[in-house]
Amino acid sequence: MAAGIPHPFQQLWLRYREYRTRVILGFTLSTIRKIMDVMPELLIGAAIDVVVRGSDSFVASLLGVTDRREQIVWLAVINAVVWILESTSDYLASLTWRNLAQQVEHDLRLEAYEHVQGLDMAWHESHPTGATLAVINDDVNQLERFLDSGVDRLWQLALNVVLVGAVFAASSLTLTVMAFLPIPVIIVGSMWFQRRLQPRYAAVRASVARISGLVASNLGGMATIKSFTAEARELDRVRAASETYRLANAEAIRASSAFVPLIRMAILVGFTMTLLLGGWMALDGRLEIGLYSVLVFMTQRLLWPLTQVGEVLDLYQRAMASVRRILALLDEVPVTLPGTETVPSITGALELRGVRAGYGEGPDVLHDLSICIPAGEAHAFVGPTGAGKSTLLRLLLRFTDPRDGQVLLDGVDVRELTWEGLRGQIGYVAQDAFLFEGSVADNIAYGRPDATREAIELAARQAEASSFVEAMPLGYDTHVGERGVTLSGGQRQRLALARAILRDPAILILDEATSAVDNETEAAIQRSLAEVSQGRTTVMVAHRLSTVRNADRIWVIDAGRVADAGTHDELVRRPGPYADLWAVQTGDLAAS
Ligand code: ADP
């Protein structure tokens, strides 16, 4: 790990103060349980001591009771108390840790999702959905698993060494050394394994993200896969990714499985030494018989749990790799941040002033673009693919910010507006209308969840969607799946338009809303646009010129610059790219 970067768990501890009390409570309860857990062995020793030494016994000197039977009764009472305390603390510790794990999982998942939602569109476009999904689901789960039982087990192991060590140290120094002999081997071995395991688990987590990304993208592109009969090829790709995952896991398993046998050998040495040396010392009278029996038990108690170290470290390393990935996701920061202003009574006047824009490190896509869209007018942008029309719309929605120049809404730089102040004023109809899981009515009301059924139906009528919606068996209550797969492209487009209309925005933005629809739908959308664009600013990008011919002004964009502008009638009359395109689209090839 690079110097200066705190350990992932330290980062979690610093970040989430609200869990601290419960973590401390968990450790306290676990400690009580462990102390109670070690007690029975000591009581056995004490009982043997009572039988062997009678009135000279440890219990006699501690409690001042000389009668052996009475001493045994006392031991039985103490024993019962110990067991009750152990059971209670066991229950409470387990409750604390497991609930904490659930709470952390819940909070972290929500935080990660909220954070991801706040990231720029540019980030979303450059990061595979599946990989992000893997962090929000799998990695958060992995941490939950470790918190659920791993932390507690790790703590129990450490406490065990300390407590049992204390009993040994108080009894016989020679035996302490013998019993503890294997521990350095175990610790050095564990550290060596940890170092080997760490990169392996990082590889495992990374390959999970790759599979998830691949599968998510394939499920989204199922139609393309089937139409190109690429099922076998895609299966091969998923198989390869899954195989990489399996191999990465196999590597990790190979390394972690070798751990337990090594520890067993070390335990054998420690146990044999205590058995032999302790036995000889007891025979020579240098060690009380009660204590000898305790120490033989205790060696087992000391060393056997250490076989779990491998398993717990395994959980720990997996969780560590996951925490790193979660923190890395949470450390991504949005570049496009909202401002603080709102325009009180917005008119919807838009302006691009000397705008230069592009993506990432790439070249400029828009060059010194200056465009004025007065409030209430309908403006259209046409031009060849890749000219920069969608980029222009993205600037209006602030999915990207310009490299130079300004985008203004009612004379205010959009960077100064809150999201609600900007996007809240816009009804956006994307090229590929996205429908959410839910009813038709829910989908139309997406931008205004409190809309009445009347308002929803009115918006549907204005978008010319009402006739096909009413023809469906459940009408507005018909369930439409993710991506609206049960609807045609034209129907989806009309629902998306209804959704934008219901929002009653000052500005309506349509990105190629008619590019993928039939002529009838296009005519329907045109009719509804003529109606709903009244009194609001409408900005549209269209491939089909018939869609835009009624616009107040048409901007012809070419290679990121304005090539021409005017009304449809003006543009078709003068020779230029628009007239050429019009000729092609209307079939009048002679003019081109
Ligand atoms: P149009 O909408 O006119 O077809 P776009 O605005 O989509 O054009 O694209 C303009 C240029 O910007 C193209 O060269 C395209 O490759 C590039 N571009 C568009 N979107 C992105 C993106 N998300 N990341 C990087 N480059 C992009």
Side-chain angles (χ1 to χ4, degrees):
M1 194 167 55
I5 301 173
H7 187 277
F9 274 128
Q10 198 181 343
Q11 290 187 50
L12 282 185
W13 175 260
L14 293 173
R15 222 176 161 121
Y16 301 103
R17 294 171 171 275
E18 65 270 30
Y19 304 130
R20 288 186 185 176
T21 336
R22 274 199 277 170
V23 171
I24 294 168
L25 178 67
F27 278 123
T28 312
L29 288 166
S30 293
T31 309
I32 297 174
R33 174 176 56 188
K34 190 77 230 176
I35 294 172
M36 294 307 135
D37 181 46
V38 175
M39 289 297 279
E41 269 84 354
L42 294 179
L43 293 175
I44 293 172
I48 294 173
D49 190 49
V50 168
V51 175
V52 175
R53 293 203 291 165
S55 53
D56 295 333
S57 77
F58 175 71
V59 178
S61 57
L62 194 71
L63 299 176
V65 183
T66 45
D67 180 48
R68 285 201 220 185
R69 288 183 181 276
E70 208 178 317
Q71 286 181 31
I72 298 282
V73 170
W74 273 107
L75 282 179
V77 170
I78 295 171
N79 188 47
V81 172
V82 163
W83 280 74
I84 290 168
L85 276 178
E86 189 191 353
S87 301
T88 316
S89 55
D90 185 51
Y91 170 70
L92 292 176
S94 149
L95 212 61
T96 307
W97 285 117
R98 302 186 75 172
N99 280 333
L100 178 73
Q102 295 304 323
Q103 189 66 46
V104 169
E105 180 185 9
H106 172 75
D107 292 351
L108 214 52
R109 176 171 292 140
L110 274 191
E111 184 181 349
Y113 175 74
E114 187 183 12
H115 186 78
V116 164
Q117 231 179 204
L119 291 173
D120 296 311
M121 279 311 293
W123 186 91
H124 285 279
E125 284 155 3
S126 59
H127 288 76
T129 316
T132 311
L133 213 57
V135 176
I136 297 178
N137 281 336
D138 301 344
D139 286 321
V140 170
N141 276 343
Q142 199 74 51
L143 174 63
E144 184 264 334
R145 234 165 286 160
F146 178 62
L147 290 178
D148 187 83
S149 63
V151 182
D152 192 21
R153 283 168 69 189
L154 211 55
W155 180 241
Q156 298 285 325
L157 287 174
L159 266 185
N160 195 53
V161 171
V162 173
L163 290 177
V164 176
V167 175
F168 263 99
S171 322
S172 155
L173 218 53
T174 325
L175 286 187
T176 309
V177 173
M178 291 303 133
F180 275 67
L181 217 52
I183 291 186
V185 178
I186 293 170
I187 289 174
V188 172
S190 306
M191 275 158 52
W192 186 73
F193 270 101
Q194 267 218 47
R195 258 203 308 282
R196 282 169 57 98
L197 278 175
Q198 199 168 314
R200 285 176 166 82
Y201 283 133
V204 169
R205 298 315 308 163
S207 57
V208 168
R210 266 199 303 282
I211 299 179
S212 186
L214 187 60
V215 171
S217 107
N218 280 9
L219 291 179
M222 204 40 86
T224 311
I225 294 177
K226 283 183 185 291
S227 67
F228 283 88
T229 56
E231 290 96 336
R233 203 161 4 122
E234 290 305 328
L235 180 61
D236 281 344
R237 288 216 297 163
V238 174
R239 180 180 293 125
S242 187
E243 185 67 9
T244 311
Y245 170 67
R246 192 183 66 81
L247 291 177
N249 242 328
E251 279 267 299
I253 290 168
R254 235 197 325 279
S256 74
S257 300
F259 189 71
V260 174
L262 174 97
I263 307 271
R264 274 173 194 267
M265 296 318 289
I267 291 172
L268 179 70
V269 175
F271 184 63
T272 314
M273 294 308 266
T274 332
L275 192 74
L276 267 179
L277 286 183
W280 287 337
M281 283 164 78
L283 286 176
D284 295 347
R286 283 188 290 135
L287 187 67
E288 293 304 333
I289 295 171
L291 209 48
Y292 173 53
S293 65
V294 170
L295 292 185
V296 172
F297 275 124
M298 282 293 186
T299 321
Q300 298 260 39
R301 287 300 299 255
L302 176 70
L303 299 174
W304 273 120
L306 294 178
T307 49
Q308 286 183 30
V309 169
E311 209 178 299
V312 178
L313 278 185
D314 210 74
L315 265 180
Y316 170 78
Q317 283 301 347
R318 282 175 189 265
M320 204 54 33
S322 287
V323 169
R324 285 208 178 88
R325 294 167 58 84
I326 297 168
L327 291 176
L329 180 67
L330 291 177
D331 283 344
E332 297 274 356
V333 283
V335 183
T336 326
L337 295 171
T340 52
E341 314 238 327
T342 46
V343 181
S345 54
I346 193 161
T347 66
L350 290 168
E351 187 186 348
L352 274 75
R353 199 179 282 169
V355 163
R356 190 167 68 83
Y359 294 91
E361 306 292 310
D364 287 351
V365 169
L366 298 176
H367 313 269
D368 193 23
L369 208 63
S370 288
I371 284 168
C372 227
I373 307 175
E377 288 195 5
H379 282 212
F381 293 87
V382 299
T385 305
K389 306 178 298 286
S390 300
T391 306
L392 196 148
L393 296 190
R394 290 167 64 100
L395 289 170
L396 297 179
L397 282 156
R398 269 200 87 200
F399 288 164
T400 340
D401 276 337
R403 288 175 174 168
D404 256 338
Q406 282 180 300
V407 180
L408 305 149
L409 170 62
D410 277 14
V412 181
D413 192 315
V414 291
R415 279 171 288 207
E416 287 166 20
L417 297 172
T418 60
W419 290 138
E420 199 45 42
L422 173 67
R423 294 177 184 163
Q425 307 301 328
I426 296 174
Y428 175 59
V429 183
Q431 185 170 1
D432 182 17
F434 188 84
L435 295 187
F436 297 89
E437 188 74 40
S439 70
V440 168
D442 293 341
N443 266 287
I444 296 177
Y446 192 71
R448 257 184 61 194
D450 57 345
T452 60
R453 185 49 76 94
E454 288 71 37
I456 292 172
E457 289 179 11
L458 178 66
R461 265 200 301 285
Q462 286 178 319
E464 303 226 2
S466 53
S467 52
F468 78 82
V469 172
E470 280 155 19
M472 293 194 284
L474 293 174
Y476 287 90
D477 296 317
T478 308
H479 189 89
V480 284
E482 188 193 47
R483 290 159 182 266
V485 280
T486 49
L487 297 173
S488 77
Q491 291 171 333
R492 290 216 306 261
Q493 219 40 276
R494 279 183 272 178
L495 287 187
L497 186 60
R499 178 192 288 165
I501 292 170
L502 182 61
R503 196 166 161 87
D504 192 22
I507 301 161
L508 201 57
I509 293 183
L510 297 103
D511 188 3
E512 302 265 19
T514 56
S515 66
V517 301
D518 55 287
N519 289 334
E520 191 200 328
T521 308
E522 191 206 358
I525 291 181
Q526 249 181 302
R527 276 195 304 274
S528 52
L529 270 185
E531 187 187 335
V532 299
S533 64
Q534 297 297 323
R536 54 183 118 240
T537 312
T538 309
V539 182
M540 56 190 144
V541 162
H543 179 66
R544 286 194 205 172
L545 301 187
S546 51
T547 312
V548 305
R549 61 183 300 179
N550 297 323
D552 295 309
R553 196 171 176 81
I554 298 164
W555 301 84
V556 184
I557 307 290
D558 193 9
R561 292 191 167 81
V562 177
D564 208 347
T567 62
H568 173 78
D569 291 341
E570 286 166 13
L571 289 171
V572 284
R573 252 183 272 125
R574 58 176 177 250
Y578 189 86
D580 292 348
L581 208 57
W582 179 251
V584 172
Q585 291 194 3
T586 52
D588 185 4
L589 288 172
S592 64

